[in-house]
Amino acid sequence: MDEYDEMYGIEDDFEQQFADELEVMAEMDSIEPPYHGKVSEFRNKKSAPQTFEDALMSGDLPLRNPAADTSALDTATAPPCDGEESLTPKAKRHKQDVAKKLQFDATQDDGITPPSSPEVYEKSDRSRPAFALSLSPDRPQVAMTASMLDISGLAALQESPKRVTTTARHAQKRPPVMGDYVTVTDSMGNRVYLSKKEEEDDKVPDPRFFRNSQSALGLLAVPIEVLKEQVAEKFFCLSTVFSGIDPELLAEEDTGEDDDGAVDEGSSSRLWVDRFAPQHYMELLSDDFTNRCLLKWLKLWDTVVFGRERKQRPAAPEVRSNIPNAHNQNQAQRFKTKSQITEEILEAELDQHKRPKYKVALLSGPPGLGKTTLAHIIARHAGYNVVEINASDDRSAELFQKRIDTATQMKSVLGANEKPNCLVIDEIDGAPSVSPTFCLTKTLYCFGQLSASAMICNYAPALRPLRQQAFLLTFPPTQPSRLAQRLAEIARRQGMKADTGTLMALCEKTDNDIRSCINTLQFLHGRGQKQLDQRVVSSMCVGLKDQNKGLFSLWQEIFQLPRLKRKRVGGDVFGGLEEVGFKEGTQRLQHIIHLASSNGEHEKLTQGLYDNFLSMKLKDPGLLGVCAGLDWLCFSDLMNEWILHGQNYSLMRYLPFLPAAFHYLFAANSVPRISYPNSHYEALTKTQHTKNAIISMLAEIPPGIRSRICLSTLCLDFLSLLLELICPRLRPVNPQLYSAREKQQLCELIDTMINYNLTYRQDRTPEGQYTYVLEPHVEDVVRFPGLPPRKQLTYQVKQLIARETELEKMRRVEQAHQKRNPQRTEAVKGEQQVKKSDTKKQTSRNHQQRLENIVKQTVVESKPELDFFGRAIVPKEKPAVTPATGEDGKVNGTLQIGKAVGNSDVWFRFNEGVSNAVRRNVYIRELL
Ligand SMILES: Nc1ncnc2c1ncn2[C@@H]1O[C@H](COP(=O)(O)OP(=O)(O)OP(=O)(O)O)[C@@H](O)[C@H]1O
């Protein structure tokens, strides 16, 4: 308890307050040998009395094993010495007790209180530190081990390599303003503060002890570094247990030294892929062109992100000077390298905001080539803060979108991360299917000026829309020589011996997968394999991530003999297995089965085999191979059916044998030309189309007929005959000109067509010609494509049939309607007639009015009738009729024009002129 506490009567209840924490920390450390005591045990244990001389001696004594030397220090109270390791926290003593028990009389029984701080963390061969403590010049100087003075955390200093001296000269009544100090209370209760002075020491102090003693808050009994190491060790032990690597062997490995002779303990437990991961651009193994392109694309953002103007690329003068004329310039333009073209595209395509046209870069390629590593290194290299999202982690589109928004719209404002973000979306092919397309497409338009984005994926069809908007970079395989060189370096640093040939074989085995190669090396090293040879590598079963080849390469491998064995196999497709020998044959079989099973797309694979096997170069005049292949296809089809019907998926293991059989039947030396299989899709579409046509035809057939035909009967027996029936010989003239027999034939045709729900519909060909097609289009069901129909009706006949069919349908509908509702029909008929007559009257009235007007306006000039010689003819006497004169004395027009015009039921108007219209004789009686 210090002065402050004494003044205010505050009890030092640290132990009570933090008892639980101390307990937990003590338990955590209790597993560490050799101290197993818990805090509670220490609390209950009374420290053995220790004389000051003892303490002095123990401080000056060379370090001993406390177990062996129990006399010097009680095990419970003694600080851990070299040769022992204890992380167990010891009970913290009340400072007051310590102070009170601290006697400077050598004869006093009350010894120095054992240190409360247990921080002895690791084995050390450092000499035990000691303090020279002088209270006052007139008192004898005393030297004591730090372990004896456990005051205010001083105990921690005991492990410090630095020697700390406190002298009475520095004894002050108040705590010194500067520097560290020790508080000392004598038996009289006087408290003084002693400044601490460090003695020179050659050894560099371990920062963790230093920190713990001086700047730590004392919240942790064990420094965080030690805890981290312990966690790392435990994690490593667990990971090795799960991965099957003997931890003891790896422990051995951990003690091994690299060429520098020093081993970083933390790094020994790490995976080699992490340990030897490249840190700089120059350490990348990926193709230089790809690296440069990505860097260049990222640098395009510099103008908007960092405000740096882009340097204009100087023209290549030497190239130009070498080109004498325009023709050669054109040639040079034409023969630009791929890198030149891509770089020019990258330079040219900036939008109006000076941003690259493609806002995202999409890196694709087989696994383990270092795509993610490249994205990280390039982004860091270009001055960005890398924000990585693993798209396969977020299975919902919303979450994925949220993460992207956070990464693109937020920016760290603290510390070293105060840089613009570069969003790296790893495994984008594993994102929820809608996410990549929609979320990212959306994001592309929202991209602020602070973000660029790189996406890493393998191959996924879901990414097709995204590919159109992204700067695409396809990773070529890593060069085996470069990879082997890197592997050799890693092996050398780990003390493994491996020649280049072996490492090249490893590269080939893993398809140049960096991750797989390094992991294999570590695995072999962990098993104690310090010398690698080809035999070891070839006998290894190397696990590869996503090792499935594309369908095309798979078909190619099936139809092509492996390169090494080509000469020996020859062209005999049946004798291949015998000739190459059982072993090689088995290997090929295994290889193809493995490829087919890892691909998983059995259906598509089989379709490819089916579509392509006949176009292979076969030396098989008897077609025995073809028959065998078809047998295998049937077998596979049946198997598939059984699997799906019976849900017996254990049979699926037999499916990859079909590709293996095809390999032995049809594989040849030449490179096969494989086309993507679409016959199945075409057949499926056609079947669907045909079914739809038949179903729509059957749907409208009257029940009386429908009951006698079903789908299969219609297709197999009936339809071809029906199509013959509906093509009678009809003259392409007006049906009114048909003879009675022809009319009868037409009636029957219309009847048949309606009964089988067939008609002709006008259509337009792509060339723009009008034509009539049968509706539903059932002709395709029974006719082979490309063959002309046996009988063909003319356009006019089809038009006639279509029209008559429609009319007949309407008539039938009306009849049916009438039959169903005769009274209502009568009433409607009556109404219609009344309406008709009304309309007629109305019409005639209108006409009458118009005619009357015309008649009124007509001025009939009465000219005297003249004879041949121009003499007036005297009219014969007529019966005396009172001339109907109007009130105005004019002669009535009706009388003069006659009844025919004014009051007749029939009237016409004559239009002068010429007409080419078809003329017909119309009798008045027909009009009445
Ligand atoms: N030049 C190199 N030297 C050593 N190790 C490397 C090198 N390049 C990559 N690696 C290591 O290889 C491993 C695979 O790299 P990375 O994850 O970048 O590949 P990837 O192409 O993204 O693979 P995936 O498609 O499976 O995600 C990483 O652990 C990385 O540390």
Side-chain angles (χ1 to χ4, degrees):
M1 193 182 294
D2 59 15
E3 283 173 356
Y4 180 85
D5 292 344
E6 280 173 358
M7 198 186 301
Y8 292 97
I10 301 168
E11 287 288 320
D12 186 355
D13 56 354
F14 174 83
E15 196 169 335
Q16 282 82 9
Q17 271 187 14
F18 298 102
D20 292 341
E21 285 84 348
L22 289 169
E23 187 82 39
V24 171
M25 288 191 289
E27 277 177 10
M28 280 168 64
D29 288 340
S30 64
I31 51 168
E32 295 291 327
Y35 278 57
H36 300 280
K38 292 185 178 178
V39 174
S40 52
E41 289 172 26
F42 288 105
R43 264 186 221 140
N44 300 333
K45 204 171 245 180
K46 270 203 157 188
S47 58
Q50 186 187 29
T51 63
F52 190 57
E53 286 79 358
D54 290 342
L56 279 173
M57 281 175 65
S58 65
D60 290 338
L61 275 172
L63 298 170
R64 287 171 294 185
N65 187 344
D69 185 9
T70 49
S71 64
L73 291 169
D74 187 292
T75 48
T77 57
C81 304
D82 284 36
E84 66 177 305
E85 183 175 306
S86 173
L87 302 177
T88 314
K90 295 190 175 69
K92 184 163 179 160
R93 302 294 301 255
H94 286 286
K95 290 177 188 173
Q96 199 179 23
D97 296 346
V98 175
K100 284 188 179 156
K101 284 173 186 171
L102 184 63
Q103 298 294 328
F104 299 106
D105 186 346
T107 57
Q108 200 158 347
D109 273 343
D110 281 338
I112 301 297
T113 312
S116 61
S117 178
E119 281 107 347
V120 178
Y121 303 115
E122 60 177 12
K123 294 172 187 176
S124 169
D125 57 0
R126 289 186 283 262
S127 61
R128 194 179 193 128
F131 300 119
L133 177 68
S134 172
L135 291 179
S136 69
D138 52 347
R139 290 194 186 181
Q141 282 206 346
V142 286
M144 62 185 75
T145 56
S147 60
M148 294 170 191
L149 271 177
D150 182 25
I151 303 166
S152 55
L154 188 62
L157 288 170
Q158 66 177 321
E159 291 303 313
S160 170
K162 293 183 179 176
R163 296 171 68 84
V164 180
T165 308
T166 55
T167 59
R169 273 181 291 139
H170 301 119
Q172 296 166 14
K173 292 227 163 172
R174 293 168 199 275
V177 182
M178 304 282 290
D180 207 354
Y181 61 91
V182 178
T183 313
V184 180
T185 311
D186 66 9
S187 57
M188 303 300 289
N190 299 322
R191 172 163 292 196
V192 288
Y193 299 92
L194 305 176
S195 297
K196 288 196 286 185
K197 198 177 84 184
E198 289 180 6
E199 285 186 1
E200 290 293 322
D201 197 317
D202 292 343
K203 291 190 177 176
V204 180
D206 188 334
R208 61 192 179 196
F209 298 119
F210 193 68
R211 188 178 67 79
N212 193 59
S213 64
Q214 292 204 341
S215 58
L217 295 172
L219 298 177
L220 285 175
V222 183
I224 188 70
E225 289 85 357
V226 179
L227 287 176
K228 274 186 184 169
E229 278 176 22
Q230 287 174 1
V231 170
E233 272 166 28
K234 279 175 190 160
F235 176 75
F236 179 62
C237 285
L238 281 176
S239 62
T240 47
V241 166
F242 284 117
S243 62
I245 300 173
D246 188 357
E248 283 181 14
L249 288 171
L250 287 176
E252 268 174 35
E253 164 211 315
D254 291 347
T255 59
E257 293 190 348
D258 60 10
D259 53 345
D260 300 335
V263 170
D264 181 358
E265 283 182 25
S267 65
S268 64
S269 58
R270 288 165 66 195
L271 286 172
W272 288 8
V273 278
D274 296 333
R275 204 162 144 195
F276 298 103
Q279 302 299 324
H280 304 288
Y281 185 83
M282 297 306 290
E283 290 172 12
L284 291 169
L285 280 180
S286 41
D287 169 56
D288 286 338
F289 168 69
T290 316
N291 300 352
R292 230 164 1 99
C293 280
L294 186 63
L295 182 61
K296 197 156 186 88
W297 172 80
L298 202 55
K299 283 279 179 192
L300 292 181
W301 286 92
D302 277 6
T303 317
V304 281
V305 176
F306 299 109
R308 287 181 212 141
E309 275 304 316
R310 285 175 70 217
K311 283 182 202 156
Q312 288 302 320
R313 213 177 172 202
E318 68 280 358
V319 178
R320 295 232 168 121
S321 61
N322 292 340
I323 299 167
N325 53 39
H327 172 73
N328 285 353
Q329 277 189 12
N330 287 343
Q331 289 288 325
Q333 288 280 334
R334 207 188 300 162
F335 297 115
K336 271 181 185 165
T337 61
K338 195 180 158 195
S339 73
Q340 279 175 329
I341 293 167
T342 314
E343 282 178 16
E344 277 180 16
I345 290 171
L346 280 171
E347 286 228 337
E349 304 217 14
L350 288 183
D351 64 10
Q352 76 262 33
H353 303 293
K354 298 201 170 181
R355 293 179 303 186
K357 185 187 168 195
Y358 298 111
K359 307 293 182 294
V360 291
L362 190 67
L363 313 185
S364 61
L369 295 189
K371 299 184 288 294
T372 317
T373 311
L374 173 68
H376 275 256
I377 286 188
I378 293 271
R380 281 208 303 268
H381 188 79
Y384 288 86
N385 173 40
V386 183
V387 180
E388 182 173 333
I389 299 176
N390 196 316
S392 20
D393 288 351
D394 299 321
R395 307 310 301 178
S396 82
E398 295 79 38
L399 208 64
F400 188 66
Q401 174 74 58
K402 205 173 149 194
R403 276 186 169 240
I404 293 175
D405 289 347
T406 314
T408 50
Q409 290 162 20
M410 306 274 200
K411 184 190 164 190
S412 171
V413 290
L414 293 174
N417 290 341
E418 201 180 345
K419 294 176 185 171
N421 287 339
C422 175
L423 177 63
V424 174
I425 306 173
D426 203 359
E427 318 240 7
I428 185 92
D429 45 340
S433 55
V434 286
S435 313
T437 334
F438 292 106
C439 300
L440 285 170
T441 313
K442 213 168 94 189
T443 310
L444 293 185
Y445 296 113
C446 315
F447 256 170
Q449 297 199 339
L450 294 178
S451 295
S453 173
M455 279 173 264
I456 290 87
C457 68
N458 296 335
Y459 306 106
L463 297 178
R464 262 179 219 142
L466 199 63
R467 288 169 69 98
Q468 291 161 7
Q469 305 183 41
F471 174 59
L472 298 176
L473 269 180
T474 311
F475 258 61
T478 311
Q479 277 182 12
S481 54
R482 282 179 83 173
L483 180 53
Q485 205 179 341
R486 178 82 177 134
L487 294 178
E489 190 191 330
I490 292 171
R492 186 180 54 78
R493 287 176 63 177
Q494 292 300 320
M496 284 179 90
K497 282 184 185 163
D499 58 283
T500 313
T502 309
L503 294 175
M504 291 287 272
L506 181 61
C507 298
E508 195 185 333
K509 185 149 191 165
T510 58
D511 280 342
N512 301 318
D513 182 338
I514 307 174
R515 184 194 292 119
S516 189
C517 284
I518 299 179
N519 278 342
T520 309
L521 279 187
Q522 185 174 13
F523 179 71
L524 289 170
H525 188 266
R527 287 202 336 202
Q529 196 93 38
K530 303 281 178 189
Q531 180 115 24
L532 276 192
D533 54 31
Q534 300 252 13
R535 192 183 48 79
V536 175
V537 170
S538 61
S539 63
M540 281 285 295
C541 273
V542 179
L544 294 175
K545 182 193 170 192
D546 303 342
Q547 201 212 20
N548 60 335
K549 295 204 172 189
L551 279 168
F552 269 98
S553 51
L554 192 49
W555 287 318
Q556 184 149 349
E557 292 224 15
I558 291 169
F559 287 121
Q560 192 177 10
L561 289 170
R563 197 172 291 171
L564 294 174
K565 288 117 195 171
R566 275 183 210 163
K567 280 181 193 164
R568 300 168 60 185
V569 172
D572 185 2
V573 293
F574 296 107
L577 188 63
E578 290 78 16
E579 284 185 34
V580 296
F582 182 73
K583 199 178 165 202
E584 285 185 7
T586 314
Q587 272 180 4
R588 276 166 55 201
L589 179 81
Q590 296 281 3
H591 179 62
I592 298 287
I593 288 178
H594 173 69
L595 286 181
S597 350
S598 59
N599 178 274
E601 285 189 72
H602 177 74
E603 208 169 311
K604 204 78 196 164
L605 180 64
T606 311
Q607 284 165 21
L609 297 179
Y610 173 73
D611 272 23
N612 288 294
F613 84 103
L614 288 180
S615 56
M616 293 301 122
K617 286 179 184 165
L618 301 175
K619 292 176 183 169
D620 181 17
L623 294 180
L624 296 174
V626 174
C627 294
L630 289 171
D631 281 350
W632 270 100
L633 283 169
C634 290
F635 166 72
S636 178
D637 195 34
L638 283 174
M639 190 74 71
N640 226 357
E641 195 184 335
W642 287 334
I643 290 167
L644 297 177
H645 276 210
Q647 298 189 356
N648 186 356
Y649 297 107
S650 63
L651 293 174
M652 282 179 87
R653 71 178 67 146
Y654 294 101
L655 295 178
F657 283 86
L658 172 75
F662 266 61
H663 176 68
Y664 285 110
L665 288 170
F666 306 112
N669 296 328
S670 54
V671 179
R673 283 194 173 187
I674 310 280
S675 56
Y676 194 78
N678 43 22
S679 64
H680 177 258
Y681 176 74
E682 281 171 9
L684 195 74
T685 321
K686 200 164 181 192
T687 313
Q688 204 62 40
H689 176 77
T690 309
K691 261 189 189 170
N692 287 345
I694 298 280
I695 287 169
S696 64
M697 179 183 168
L698 283 173
E700 299 285 320
I701 291 179
I705 301 167
R706 172 81 181 80
S707 61
R708 285 186 213 104
I709 47 171
C710 65
L711 198 131
S712 59
T713 339
L714 184 67
C715 293
L716 300 175
D717 304 335
F718 193 67
L719 198 55
S720 51
L721 300 175
L722 181 67
L723 293 181
E724 288 288 316
L725 284 173
I726 61 170
C727 290
R729 285 169 191 246
L730 288 174
R731 282 185 296 146
V733 293
N734 193 322
Q736 285 180 349
L737 303 178
Y738 281 175
S739 64
R741 197 175 156 275
E742 280 175 328
K743 280 183 179 167
Q744 175 66 23
Q745 207 178 9
L746 181 64
C747 277
E748 284 172 3
L749 172 65
I750 300 297
D751 189 47
T752 310
M753 296 222 23
I754 290 175
N755 283 338
Y756 288 96
N757 188 27
L758 296 171
T759 185
Y760 287 103
R761 180 177 52 81
Q762 196 182 38
D763 203 0
R764 203 173 175 186
T765 59
E767 293 82 37
Q769 283 197 338
Y770 285 100
T771 172
Y772 271 93
V773 290
L774 195 65
E775 180 87 14
H777 202 58
V778 284
E779 282 171 317
D780 286 350
V781 180
V782 287
R783 277 186 194 145
F784 285 109
L787 291 182
R790 232 167 58 81
K791 276 187 192 172
Q792 182 71 294
L793 296 179
T794 59
Y795 180 86
Q796 285 84 357
V797 174
K798 284 183 181 174
Q799 188 180 28
L800 171 74
I801 294 171
R803 183 172 173 276
E804 290 301 321
T805 311
E806 285 306 307
L807 285 174
E808 183 59 25
K809 274 184 186 170
M810 283 156 70
R811 271 184 228 120
R812 288 187 184 189
V813 168
E814 199 173 344
Q815 274 175 13
H817 195 64
Q818 280 175 3
K819 269 185 199 165
R820 250 183 273 138
N821 237 338
Q823 289 167 353
R824 195 161 170 265
T825 319
E826 286 298 318
V828 171
K829 225 176 181 179
E831 272 176 30
Q832 277 176 351
Q833 271 179 356
V834 172
K835 267 188 188 171
K836 213 174 173 181
S837 59
D838 281 355
T839 324
K840 215 172 179 181
K841 269 184 192 169
Q842 187 74 26
T843 320
S844 60
R845 252 186 249 132
N846 286 344
H847 291 154
Q848 232 164 352
Q849 278 179 0
R850 278 177 63 195
L851 276 171
E852 278 167 9
N853 288 337
I854 291 168
V855 169
K856 273 178 197 168
Q857 287 164 11
T858 309
V859 180
V860 182
E861 291 175 22
S862 54
K863 286 182 183 174
E865 260 184 274
L866 301 176
D867 64 4
F868 181 77
F869 301 104
R871 292 169 299 186
I873 299 169
V874 181
K876 288 174 187 172
E877 277 197 9
K878 287 181 183 173
V881 179
T882 320
T885 53
E887 286 172 8
D888 52 355
K890 283 187 179 174
V891 180
N892 197 330
T894 314
L895 286 177
Q896 291 185 14
I897 297 170
K899 184 181 174 265
V901 177
N903 294 326
S904 169
D905 290 333
V906 178
W907 59 278
F908 67 92
R909 186 173 174 176
F910 176 73
N911 288 324
E912 256 186 84
V914 182
S915 167
N916 287 331
V918 178
R919 291 179 189 174
R920 265 184 91 186
N921 292 334
V922 181
Y923 298 98
I924 295 296
R925 69 167 178 273
E926 286 175 12
L927 300 173
L928 294 175

